Amino acid sequence: MATIRIDLEYPRFPVERKIFGHFTEHAFGNIYGGMYDPESKLADEDGLRTDVLELMRRVRVPLLRYPGGNFVSNYHWENGVGPKESRPRVFEYAWLTEESNQFGTVEFIKLCRKVGAEPLICVNMGSGTPEEAMHWVEYCNGTGDTYYANLRRSHGYEEPFGVKYWGLGNEMYGNWQMQNLTAEEYARYAFQFAKAIRWADPTVKLIACGLQDSTDWNTACMKLIGPMCDYISAHHYSIGWGPFEKGDYLGCLYIPELMERMHQMTLASITVGMNDVTNHCKVAWDEWNMFGWVFDGVNDDESYTLQDSIVTALVLHRLLNNSDTVGMANYSTFVNINGAVSVHGDQVVTRAQYPVFELLANHTGDEVLDVRMTGPKLSVPYRKTGDMGRKPLGLSLTSAEAGAPDTVEVPALDVLATRGTDGTIYLSIVNKSPDEDITADISLPGLDLAGKTVTAKVITAEDINAANTLAHPDRVAIADADAPAVTARGLAATFGRHSVNLITIS
């Protein structure tokens, strides 16, 4: 038995809807053969797949990050504008492929407009220059009688695109990037980019390149460029590029706990770097996924199971419950590889994580409510990335370096409570337990349930390894559930094992 208490009198803070953002990159079918395929019978007049566009609309993508990712560190945006027959085909250094440049800035803006997303453009800090970034901003946002604003007009777009969000490079700490840098080198270089971009358009919002595992990197960045930036980024891929294993269900339940730790580290770095606890800078989780892009079975729909649904919901809960300090998040990627959707010729599969985005993006209110809970717990393996922490001193003394616990206790239920401006209350409740149903007594002090409509939906399956495929597209899907019973205290409900549940009180 669990008890859940929802405080309706003092909401915590507004919901940050940009947390439901997504990410796309010129790699592995994200764009070519994914979102963009002029040869498909499903392509619209701009070569964008109408079925993929519709799936993006269904999850109300608020923000789309582009063009990378690793790809951006050698991307020269002028190759991707103007007449398509004049665009050069070039060697692409990040993934060692060829880039046709048939999809570029204008095509990206059109994609965003068609699905209702704000564009987030990351600039090239590898082989690029501050001047090139400034020209890109001028091309997108310029209103004057200047060369790059007029270049946009000559391409048929009189009105500026109004791109508000700009990223200052991608993972510049990593030697997999072209021109990777130390923290101090990055901060000095990013300062020049930030100046140039703000000179071109002082209204934009800037995202600094952060390192979620290192307070040293983030503090060094914030010391120099914190006043210039609105966000600092954090990335996390749990499996393939992280310390977790695909078949370890209980182990993967620690993923949101690890991301919370990294989030708090990043916030501490901002405070120290800015020397001010009232700073304006938030964290942008602008790449995250349970899976990295490189693991055995990455392109197999059966790799993405109900386990992925559970973890995706838990991460979204954690991000939304930190809406006061998380400024945005971008699920990486939307289409193909590890994406929420995969394309097979003229068909698509909505993988197990997709219905979670569909459920929560459409059933989350405008303010986060406070939740108090007691109930059963699960013992899960403790994990941290190899980059976290200091090197041990090599002394056999009792200290924090003696080692982390092998396991930690986490609540078996996880709750996100929000309320809309119309008064509708949404309770998203995940039962993490692999084998136990959990009954909960839900109290909502001050709320008279008389005359209210209470409904429920659920995402679950008999088998935690259930996956959506072409042959079985709806094994993991949103289904109607029995409404909770109304009690003297509020509601009583039973949540099935390994399930994502949504209660709406309207």
Side-chain angles (χ1 to χ4, degrees), residues 161-221:
F161 299 146
V163 179
K164 183 177 181 180
Y165 301 100
W166 294 83
L168 300 174
N170 176 77
E171 297 180 359
M172 298 305 298
Y173 45 80
N175 60 12
W176 53 89
Q177 298 295 316
M178 178 168 284
Q179 188 82 2
N180 61 293
L181 304 166
T182 67
E184 291 74 16
E185 290 170 339
Y186 170 77
R188 286 194 296 269
Y189 200 31
F191 187 78
Q192 306 308 318
F193 275 77
K195 281 193 304 183
I197 289 172
R198 288 205 181 276
W199 281 334
D201 185 349
T203 70
V204 301
K205 302 291 186 181
L206 297 180
I207 302 104
C209 171
L211 176 54
Q212 63 288 334
D213 300 321
S214 171
T215 54
D216 294 338
W217 173 282
N218 291 340
T219 301
C221 290

Short mmCIF file of all heavy atoms in Angstrom, two decimals, residues 161-221:
data_model
loop_
_atom_site.label_atom_id
_atom_site.label_comp_id
_atom_site.label_asym_id
_atom_site.label_seq_id
_atom_site.Cartn_x
_atom_site.Cartn_y
_atom_site.Cartn_z
N PHE A 161 13.33 34.39 -40.11
CA PHE A 161 12.88 33.14 -39.50
C PHE A 161 12.69 33.27 -37.99
O PHE A 161 11.97 32.47 -37.39
CB PHE A 161 13.88 32.02 -39.79
CG PHE A 161 14.06 31.73 -41.25
CD1 PHE A 161 15.30 31.34 -41.74
CD2 PHE A 161 13.01 31.83 -42.14
CE1 PHE A 161 15.48 31.05 -43.08
CE2 PHE A 161 13.17 31.56 -43.49
CZ PHE A 161 14.41 31.17 -43.96
N GLY A 162 13.35 34.23 -37.38
CA GLY A 162 13.18 34.44 -35.94
C GLY A 162 13.66 33.28 -35.10
O GLY A 162 12.96 32.85 -34.17
N VAL A 163 14.85 32.76 -35.39
CA VAL A 163 15.39 31.65 -34.60
C VAL A 163 15.88 32.20 -33.26
O VAL A 163 16.82 33.00 -33.21
CB VAL A 163 16.54 30.95 -35.35
CG1 VAL A 163 17.11 29.82 -34.49
CG2 VAL A 163 16.05 30.40 -36.68
N LYS A 164 15.26 31.76 -32.20
CA LYS A 164 15.51 32.32 -30.87
C LYS A 164 16.65 31.63 -30.13
O LYS A 164 17.38 32.27 -29.38
CB LYS A 164 14.22 32.23 -30.05
CG LYS A 164 14.29 32.84 -28.66
CD LYS A 164 12.92 32.73 -27.99
CE LYS A 164 12.94 33.35 -26.59
NZ LYS A 164 11.61 33.26 -25.93
N TYR A 165 16.80 30.31 -30.33
CA TYR A 165 17.73 29.52 -29.53
C TYR A 165 18.94 29.10 -30.36
O TYR A 165 18.79 28.53 -31.45
CB TYR A 165 17.02 28.28 -28.97
CG TYR A 165 15.83 28.64 -28.11
CD1 TYR A 165 14.53 28.58 -28.61
CD2 TYR A 165 16.01 29.06 -26.79
CE1 TYR A 165 13.44 28.92 -27.84
CE2 TYR A 165 14.92 29.41 -26.00
CZ TYR A 165 13.64 29.33 -26.53
OH TYR A 165 12.57 29.68 -25.76
N TRP A 166 20.15 29.36 -29.82
CA TRP A 166 21.39 29.05 -30.52
C TRP A 166 22.36 28.38 -29.55
O TRP A 166 22.61 28.88 -28.45
CB TRP A 166 22.03 30.33 -31.08
CG TRP A 166 21.19 30.96 -32.17
CD1 TRP A 166 20.12 31.80 -32.01
CD2 TRP A 166 21.33 30.77 -33.58
NE1 TRP A 166 19.59 32.15 -33.22
CE2 TRP A 166 20.33 31.54 -34.21
CE3 TRP A 166 22.24 30.05 -34.37
CZ2 TRP A 166 20.18 31.58 -35.60
CZ3 TRP A 166 22.10 30.09 -35.75
CH2 TRP A 166 21.08 30.85 -36.35
N GLY A 167 22.91 27.25 -29.98
CA GLY A 167 23.87 26.50 -29.17
C GLY A 167 25.30 26.82 -29.56
O GLY A 167 25.63 26.87 -30.75
N LEU A 168 26.15 27.03 -28.56
CA LEU A 168 27.55 27.37 -28.80
C LEU A 168 28.40 26.10 -28.85
O LEU A 168 29.09 25.72 -27.92
CB LEU A 168 28.06 28.30 -27.69
CG LEU A 168 27.32 29.64 -27.56
CD1 LEU A 168 27.82 30.40 -26.34
CD2 LEU A 168 27.49 30.47 -28.83
N GLY A 169 28.30 25.39 -29.99
CA GLY A 169 29.08 24.19 -30.19
C GLY A 169 28.46 22.98 -29.52
O GLY A 169 27.50 23.07 -28.76
N ASN A 170 29.03 21.82 -29.83
CA ASN A 170 28.53 20.54 -29.33
C ASN A 170 29.67 19.72 -28.75
O ASN A 170 30.66 19.45 -29.44
CB ASN A 170 27.86 19.76 -30.46
CG ASN A 170 27.41 18.38 -30.00
OD1 ASN A 170 26.39 18.24 -29.33
ND2 ASN A 170 28.17 17.35 -30.35
N GLU A 171 29.55 19.33 -27.49
CA GLU A 171 30.48 18.41 -26.84
C GLU A 171 31.94 18.74 -27.17
O GLU A 171 32.74 17.86 -27.51
CB GLU A 171 30.16 16.96 -27.23
CG GLU A 171 28.79 16.53 -26.75
CD GLU A 171 28.44 15.09 -27.11
OE1 GLU A 171 29.27 14.41 -27.75
OE2 GLU A 171 27.35 14.63 -26.77
N MET A 172 32.29 20.00 -27.04
CA MET A 172 33.62 20.45 -27.44
C MET A 172 34.72 19.91 -26.53
O MET A 172 35.91 20.07 -26.82
CB MET A 172 33.67 21.99 -27.48
CG MET A 172 32.72 22.62 -28.49
SD MET A 172 32.96 21.98 -30.17
CE MET A 172 34.65 22.48 -30.50
N TYR A 173 34.36 19.26 -25.43
CA TYR A 173 35.32 18.62 -24.54
C TYR A 173 35.81 17.30 -25.10
O TYR A 173 36.82 16.76 -24.64
CB TYR A 173 34.67 18.36 -23.18
CG TYR A 173 33.28 17.77 -23.28
CD1 TYR A 173 33.08 16.42 -23.52
CD2 TYR A 173 32.15 18.58 -23.16
CE1 TYR A 173 31.81 15.89 -23.64
CE2 TYR A 173 30.88 18.07 -23.27
CZ TYR A 173 30.71 16.72 -23.51
OH TYR A 173 29.44 16.20 -23.64
N GLY A 174 35.09 16.71 -26.08
CA GLY A 174 35.37 15.35 -26.52
C GLY A 174 36.34 15.28 -27.69
O GLY A 174 36.21 16.03 -28.65
N ASN A 175 37.28 14.32 -27.64
CA ASN A 175 38.22 14.20 -28.75
C ASN A 175 37.58 13.60 -30.00
O ASN A 175 38.23 13.48 -31.03
CB ASN A 175 39.47 13.40 -28.33
CG ASN A 175 39.13 11.99 -27.87
OD1 ASN A 175 38.01 11.51 -28.05
ND2 ASN A 175 40.11 11.32 -27.26
N TRP A 176 36.30 13.24 -29.91
CA TRP A 176 35.57 12.81 -31.10
C TRP A 176 35.06 14.01 -31.91
O TRP A 176 34.56 13.84 -33.01
CB TRP A 176 34.40 11.91 -30.71
CG TRP A 176 33.49 12.51 -29.67
CD1 TRP A 176 32.41 13.31 -29.87
CD2 TRP A 176 33.62 12.36 -28.26
NE1 TRP A 176 31.84 13.68 -28.68
CE2 TRP A 176 32.56 13.10 -27.67
CE3 TRP A 176 34.51 11.68 -27.43
CZ2 TRP A 176 32.39 13.17 -26.29
CZ3 TRP A 176 34.32 11.75 -26.06
CH2 TRP A 176 33.28 12.49 -25.50
N GLN A 177 35.18 15.21 -31.35
CA GLN A 177 34.80 16.43 -32.07
C GLN A 177 36.00 16.96 -32.86
O GLN A 177 37.14 16.84 -32.40
CB GLN A 177 34.35 17.52 -31.10
CG GLN A 177 33.14 17.20 -30.28
CD GLN A 177 31.89 17.05 -31.11
OE1 GLN A 177 31.63 17.84 -32.01
NE2 GLN A 177 31.11 16.03 -30.82
N MET A 178 35.73 17.55 -34.00
CA MET A 178 36.79 18.30 -34.65
C MET A 178 37.12 19.51 -33.78
O MET A 178 36.22 20.23 -33.34
CB MET A 178 36.34 18.76 -36.04
CG MET A 178 37.38 19.59 -36.77
SD MET A 178 37.00 19.83 -38.51
CE MET A 178 37.44 18.24 -39.19
N GLN A 179 38.40 19.72 -33.50
CA GLN A 179 38.88 20.87 -32.73
C GLN A 179 38.36 20.82 -31.30
O GLN A 179 37.83 21.80 -30.77
CB GLN A 179 38.43 22.19 -33.39
CG GLN A 179 39.02 23.46 -32.80
CD GLN A 179 40.41 23.79 -33.30
OE1 GLN A 179 40.94 23.08 -34.14
NE2 GLN A 179 41.01 24.83 -32.80
N ASN A 180 38.51 19.66 -30.61
CA ASN A 180 38.08 19.63 -29.21
C ASN A 180 39.00 20.51 -28.37
O ASN A 180 40.16 20.76 -28.71
CB ASN A 180 38.07 18.20 -28.68
CG ASN A 180 39.42 17.54 -28.72
OD1 ASN A 180 39.96 17.28 -29.80
ND2 ASN A 180 39.98 17.26 -27.55
N LEU A 181 38.45 21.01 -27.25
CA LEU A 181 39.11 22.05 -26.47
C LEU A 181 39.10 21.73 -24.99
O LEU A 181 38.27 20.93 -24.52
CB LEU A 181 38.37 23.39 -26.68
CG LEU A 181 38.21 23.87 -28.13
CD1 LEU A 181 37.19 25.00 -28.19
CD2 LEU A 181 39.55 24.34 -28.69
N THR A 182 40.01 22.33 -24.25
CA THR A 182 39.91 22.30 -22.79
C THR A 182 38.81 23.26 -22.36
O THR A 182 38.31 24.07 -23.15
CB THR A 182 41.24 22.73 -22.14
OG1 THR A 182 41.47 24.12 -22.43
CG2 THR A 182 42.40 21.89 -22.66
N ALA A 183 38.44 23.19 -21.10
CA ALA A 183 37.37 24.06 -20.60
C ALA A 183 37.74 25.53 -20.76
O ALA A 183 36.92 26.35 -21.19
CB ALA A 183 37.08 23.74 -19.13
N GLU A 184 38.96 25.86 -20.42
CA GLU A 184 39.39 27.26 -20.51
C GLU A 184 39.45 27.72 -21.98
O GLU A 184 39.05 28.85 -22.30
CB GLU A 184 40.75 27.45 -19.85
CG GLU A 184 40.73 27.30 -18.33
CD GLU A 184 40.58 25.85 -17.87
OE1 GLU A 184 40.80 24.92 -18.70
OE2 GLU A 184 40.22 25.64 -16.70
N GLU A 185 39.96 26.84 -22.85
CA GLU A 185 40.00 27.17 -24.28
C GLU A 185 38.59 27.36 -24.82
O GLU A 185 38.30 28.32 -25.56
CB GLU A 185 40.71 26.07 -25.06
CG GLU A 185 42.20 25.99 -24.81
CD GLU A 185 42.82 24.74 -25.41
OE1 GLU A 185 42.07 23.75 -25.65
OE2 GLU A 185 44.04 24.73 -25.62
N TYR A 186 37.69 26.43 -24.44
CA TYR A 186 36.31 26.54 -24.92
C TYR A 186 35.67 27.85 -24.44
O TYR A 186 35.02 28.56 -25.22
CB TYR A 186 35.46 25.35 -24.45
CG TYR A 186 33.99 25.59 -24.73
CD1 TYR A 186 33.47 25.45 -26.02
CD2 TYR A 186 33.13 26.02 -23.72
CE1 TYR A 186 32.14 25.72 -26.29
CE2 TYR A 186 31.80 26.29 -23.98
CZ TYR A 186 31.31 26.15 -25.27
OH TYR A 186 29.99 26.44 -25.53
N ALA A 187 35.84 28.16 -23.17
CA ALA A 187 35.20 29.36 -22.62
C ALA A 187 35.66 30.62 -23.35
O ALA A 187 34.86 31.49 -23.68
CB ALA A 187 35.47 29.46 -21.12
N ARG A 188 36.98 30.71 -23.59
CA ARG A 188 37.49 31.89 -24.29
C ARG A 188 36.96 31.96 -25.73
O ARG A 188 36.58 33.04 -26.20
CB ARG A 188 39.03 31.87 -24.30
CG ARG A 188 39.66 32.19 -22.96
CD ARG A 188 41.14 32.50 -23.10
NE ARG A 188 41.88 31.34 -23.58
CZ ARG A 188 42.45 30.44 -22.78
NH1 ARG A 188 42.35 30.56 -21.47
NH2 ARG A 188 43.13 29.43 -23.29
N TYR A 189 36.93 30.81 -26.40
CA TYR A 189 36.47 30.77 -27.78
C TYR A 189 34.96 31.03 -27.85
O TYR A 189 34.48 31.80 -28.70
CB TYR A 189 36.82 29.41 -28.38
CG TYR A 189 36.84 29.34 -29.89
CD1 TYR A 189 37.20 30.43 -30.68
CD2 TYR A 189 36.53 28.15 -30.54
CE1 TYR A 189 37.23 30.35 -32.05
CE2 TYR A 189 36.56 28.05 -31.92
CZ TYR A 189 36.91 29.15 -32.67
OH TYR A 189 36.94 29.06 -34.04
N ALA A 190 34.21 30.41 -26.96
CA ALA A 190 32.75 30.60 -26.94
C ALA A 190 32.38 32.04 -26.65
O ALA A 190 31.34 32.53 -27.12
CB ALA A 190 32.12 29.66 -25.91
N PHE A 191 33.20 32.72 -25.87
CA PHE A 191 32.94 34.13 -25.59
C PHE A 191 32.94 34.94 -26.88
O PHE A 191 32.10 35.83 -27.07
CB PHE A 191 34.00 34.67 -24.62
CG PHE A 191 33.72 36.07 -24.14
CD1 PHE A 191 32.79 36.31 -23.16
CD2 PHE A 191 34.40 37.15 -24.69
CE1 PHE A 191 32.52 37.60 -22.72
CE2 PHE A 191 34.15 38.45 -24.25
CZ PHE A 191 33.21 38.66 -23.27
N GLN A 192 33.86 34.62 -27.79
CA GLN A 192 33.91 35.33 -29.07
C GLN A 192 32.68 35.02 -29.91
O GLN A 192 32.11 35.90 -30.57
CB GLN A 192 35.19 34.96 -29.83
CG GLN A 192 36.48 35.16 -29.04
CD GLN A 192 36.60 36.55 -28.43
OE1 GLN A 192 36.28 37.56 -29.06
NE2 GLN A 192 37.05 36.60 -27.18
N PHE A 193 32.24 33.76 -29.90
CA PHE A 193 31.03 33.38 -30.63
C PHE A 193 29.81 34.08 -30.04
O PHE A 193 28.95 34.58 -30.77
CB PHE A 193 30.84 31.86 -30.58
CG PHE A 193 31.59 31.11 -31.64
CD1 PHE A 193 32.95 30.90 -31.53
CD2 PHE A 193 30.94 30.61 -32.75
CE1 PHE A 193 33.65 30.20 -32.49
CE2 PHE A 193 31.62 29.91 -33.74
CZ PHE A 193 32.98 29.70 -33.61
N ALA A 194 29.73 34.09 -28.71
CA ALA A 194 28.57 34.71 -28.05
C ALA A 194 28.48 36.19 -28.38
O ALA A 194 27.40 36.71 -28.67
CB ALA A 194 28.65 34.49 -26.54
N LYS A 195 29.63 36.87 -28.36
CA LYS A 195 29.63 38.29 -28.73
C LYS A 195 29.12 38.49 -30.15
O LYS A 195 28.26 39.35 -30.41
CB LYS A 195 31.05 38.86 -28.63
CG LYS A 195 31.53 39.19 -27.25
CD LYS A 195 32.80 40.03 -27.29
CE LYS A 195 33.92 39.37 -28.07
NZ LYS A 195 35.16 40.16 -28.04
N ALA A 196 29.67 37.71 -31.09
CA ALA A 196 29.31 37.87 -32.49
C ALA A 196 27.83 37.61 -32.72
O ALA A 196 27.14 38.34 -33.44
CB ALA A 196 30.17 36.93 -33.35
N ILE A 197 27.32 36.55 -32.10
CA ILE A 197 25.91 36.21 -32.28
C ILE A 197 25.01 37.28 -31.69
O ILE A 197 24.02 37.70 -32.30
CB ILE A 197 25.62 34.83 -31.65
CG1 ILE A 197 26.28 33.72 -32.49
CG2 ILE A 197 24.12 34.59 -31.52
CD1 ILE A 197 26.23 32.35 -31.85
N ARG A 198 25.35 37.77 -30.50
CA ARG A 198 24.51 38.80 -29.89
C ARG A 198 24.62 40.13 -30.61
O ARG A 198 23.68 40.93 -30.61
CB ARG A 198 24.87 38.96 -28.41
CG ARG A 198 24.41 37.79 -27.56
CD ARG A 198 24.21 38.20 -26.11
NE ARG A 198 23.79 37.08 -25.28
CZ ARG A 198 22.53 36.67 -25.15
NH1 ARG A 198 21.58 37.27 -25.85
NH2 ARG A 198 22.24 35.66 -24.38
N TRP A 199 25.76 40.40 -31.24
CA TRP A 199 25.85 41.59 -32.07
C TRP A 199 24.90 41.49 -33.26
O TRP A 199 24.29 42.47 -33.66
CB TRP A 199 27.29 41.79 -32.56
CG TRP A 199 28.19 42.38 -31.52
CD1 TRP A 199 27.83 43.18 -30.47
CD2 TRP A 199 29.61 42.23 -31.43
NE1 TRP A 199 28.93 43.53 -29.72
CE2 TRP A 199 30.05 42.98 -30.29
CE3 TRP A 199 30.56 41.55 -32.19
CZ2 TRP A 199 31.38 43.05 -29.91
CZ3 TRP A 199 31.90 41.63 -31.81
CH2 TRP A 199 32.30 42.36 -30.68
N ALA A 200 24.78 40.29 -33.81
CA ALA A 200 23.87 40.09 -34.94
C ALA A 200 22.41 40.16 -34.50
O ALA A 200 21.56 40.66 -35.23
CB ALA A 200 24.15 38.75 -35.62
N ASP A 201 22.10 39.64 -33.30
CA ASP A 201 20.73 39.67 -32.78
C ASP A 201 20.79 39.59 -31.26
O ASP A 201 20.97 38.51 -30.69
CB ASP A 201 19.91 38.51 -33.34
CG ASP A 201 18.44 38.58 -32.91
OD1 ASP A 201 18.11 39.39 -32.02
OD2 ASP A 201 17.63 37.82 -33.47
N PRO A 202 20.64 40.72 -30.58
CA PRO A 202 20.76 40.73 -29.11
C PRO A 202 19.60 40.06 -28.39
O PRO A 202 19.65 39.89 -27.17
CB PRO A 202 20.81 42.23 -28.77
CG PRO A 202 20.14 42.91 -29.92
CD PRO A 202 20.45 42.08 -31.13
N THR A 203 18.55 39.64 -29.12
CA THR A 203 17.38 39.05 -28.47
C THR A 203 17.47 37.53 -28.34
O THR A 203 16.60 36.92 -27.72
CB THR A 203 16.10 39.38 -29.25
OG1 THR A 203 16.09 38.67 -30.51
CG2 THR A 203 15.98 40.87 -29.51
N VAL A 204 18.50 36.89 -28.91
CA VAL A 204 18.55 35.44 -28.92
C VAL A 204 18.90 34.89 -27.54
O VAL A 204 19.38 35.61 -26.66
CB VAL A 204 19.56 34.92 -29.97
CG1 VAL A 204 19.19 35.40 -31.36
CG2 VAL A 204 20.99 35.32 -29.60
N LYS A 205 18.64 33.58 -27.37
CA LYS A 205 19.02 32.85 -26.16
C LYS A 205 20.16 31.90 -26.52
O LYS A 205 20.09 31.19 -27.53
CB LYS A 205 17.83 32.05 -25.62
CG LYS A 205 16.60 32.88 -25.30
CD LYS A 205 16.83 33.78 -24.10
CE LYS A 205 15.54 34.51 -23.70
NZ LYS A 205 15.76 35.42 -22.56
N LEU A 206 21.20 31.86 -25.68
CA LEU A 206 22.39 31.09 -25.98
C LEU A 206 22.57 29.93 -25.01
O LEU A 206 22.34 30.06 -23.80
CB LEU A 206 23.64 31.98 -25.92
CG LEU A 206 23.70 33.12 -26.94
CD1 LEU A 206 24.99 33.92 -26.76
CD2 LEU A 206 23.60 32.59 -28.37
N ILE A 207 23.00 28.78 -25.57
CA ILE A 207 23.25 27.58 -24.78
C ILE A 207 24.75 27.28 -24.82
O ILE A 207 25.31 27.01 -25.88
CB ILE A 207 22.47 26.36 -25.32
CG1 ILE A 207 20.97 26.65 -25.33
CG2 ILE A 207 22.76 25.12 -24.48
CD1 ILE A 207 20.40 26.94 -26.68
N ALA A 208 25.40 27.34 -23.67
CA ALA A 208 26.81 26.98 -23.58
C ALA A 208 26.95 25.47 -23.58
O ALA A 208 26.05 24.74 -23.15
CB ALA A 208 27.42 27.56 -22.31
N CYS A 209 28.08 24.99 -24.06
CA CYS A 209 28.37 23.56 -24.07
C CYS A 209 28.87 23.13 -22.70
O CYS A 209 29.96 23.53 -22.28
CB CYS A 209 29.41 23.25 -25.15
SG CYS A 209 30.04 21.58 -25.10
N GLY A 210 28.06 22.36 -21.99
CA GLY A 210 28.43 21.89 -20.67
C GLY A 210 28.88 20.44 -20.69
O GLY A 210 28.71 19.72 -21.67
N LEU A 211 29.43 20.01 -19.57
CA LEU A 211 29.84 18.61 -19.38
C LEU A 211 29.22 18.14 -18.07
O LEU A 211 29.67 18.51 -16.99
CB LEU A 211 31.37 18.49 -19.35
CG LEU A 211 31.96 17.11 -19.07
CD1 LEU A 211 31.39 16.06 -20.02
CD2 LEU A 211 33.48 17.14 -19.16
N GLN A 212 28.17 17.36 -18.18
CA GLN A 212 27.35 16.97 -17.03
C GLN A 212 28.13 16.16 -15.99
O GLN A 212 27.73 16.09 -14.84
CB GLN A 212 26.14 16.17 -17.50
CG GLN A 212 26.46 14.85 -18.19
CD GLN A 212 27.03 15.03 -19.59
OE1 GLN A 212 26.79 16.03 -20.25
NE2 GLN A 212 27.81 14.05 -20.03
N ASP A 213 29.26 15.55 -16.37
CA ASP A 213 30.05 14.74 -15.45
C ASP A 213 31.10 15.54 -14.70
O ASP A 213 31.78 14.99 -13.84
CB ASP A 213 30.77 13.62 -16.21
CG ASP A 213 29.81 12.69 -16.93
OD1 ASP A 213 28.76 12.37 -16.37
OD2 ASP A 213 30.13 12.31 -18.06
N SER A 214 31.29 16.80 -15.08
CA SER A 214 32.45 17.54 -14.57
C SER A 214 32.07 18.92 -14.08
O SER A 214 31.77 19.82 -14.88
CB SER A 214 33.52 17.66 -15.67
OG SER A 214 34.56 18.53 -15.28
N THR A 215 32.14 19.12 -12.78
CA THR A 215 31.94 20.46 -12.23
C THR A 215 33.09 21.37 -12.64
O THR A 215 32.91 22.58 -12.74
CB THR A 215 31.82 20.41 -10.70
OG1 THR A 215 32.95 19.73 -10.17
CG2 THR A 215 30.55 19.69 -10.27
N ASP A 216 34.27 20.79 -12.86
CA ASP A 216 35.42 21.62 -13.26
C ASP A 216 35.16 22.31 -14.59
O ASP A 216 35.38 23.51 -14.75
CB ASP A 216 36.68 20.75 -13.37
CG ASP A 216 37.13 20.19 -12.04
OD1 ASP A 216 36.75 20.78 -11.01
OD2 ASP A 216 37.83 19.18 -12.02
N TRP A 217 34.71 21.53 -15.59
CA TRP A 217 34.44 22.09 -16.92
C TRP A 217 33.37 23.17 -16.82
O TRP A 217 33.53 24.29 -17.32
CB TRP A 217 33.99 20.99 -17.89
CG TRP A 217 33.53 21.50 -19.22
CD1 TRP A 217 32.31 22.07 -19.49
CD2 TRP A 217 34.27 21.54 -20.45
NE1 TRP A 217 32.23 22.44 -20.82
CE2 TRP A 217 33.43 22.13 -21.43
CE3 TRP A 217 35.54 21.13 -20.82
CZ2 TRP A 217 33.82 22.31 -22.75
CZ3 TRP A 217 35.94 21.30 -22.15
CH2 TRP A 217 35.09 21.90 -23.09
N ASN A 218 32.26 22.84 -16.18
CA ASN A 218 31.13 23.77 -16.14
C ASN A 218 31.45 25.04 -15.37
O ASN A 218 31.05 26.13 -15.77
CB ASN A 218 29.91 23.08 -15.52
CG ASN A 218 29.35 21.99 -16.42
OD1 ASN A 218 29.60 21.98 -17.62
ND2 ASN A 218 28.59 21.08 -15.85
N THR A 219 32.20 24.91 -14.27
CA THR A 219 32.56 26.09 -13.49
C THR A 219 33.46 27.01 -14.31
O THR A 219 33.27 28.24 -14.32
CB THR A 219 33.25 25.69 -12.18
OG1 THR A 219 32.37 24.86 -11.42
CG2 THR A 219 33.61 26.91 -11.37
N ALA A 220 34.44 26.43 -15.00
CA ALA A 220 35.33 27.23 -15.83
C ALA A 220 34.56 27.98 -16.91
O ALA A 220 34.83 29.14 -17.21
CB ALA A 220 36.41 26.34 -16.45
N CYS A 221 33.58 27.28 -17.52
CA CYS A 221 32.76 27.94 -18.56
C CYS A 221 31.94 29.08 -17.98
O CYS A 221 31.90 30.18 -18.53
CB CYS A 221 31.84 26.91 -19.21
SG CYS A 221 32.67 25.70 -20.24
#
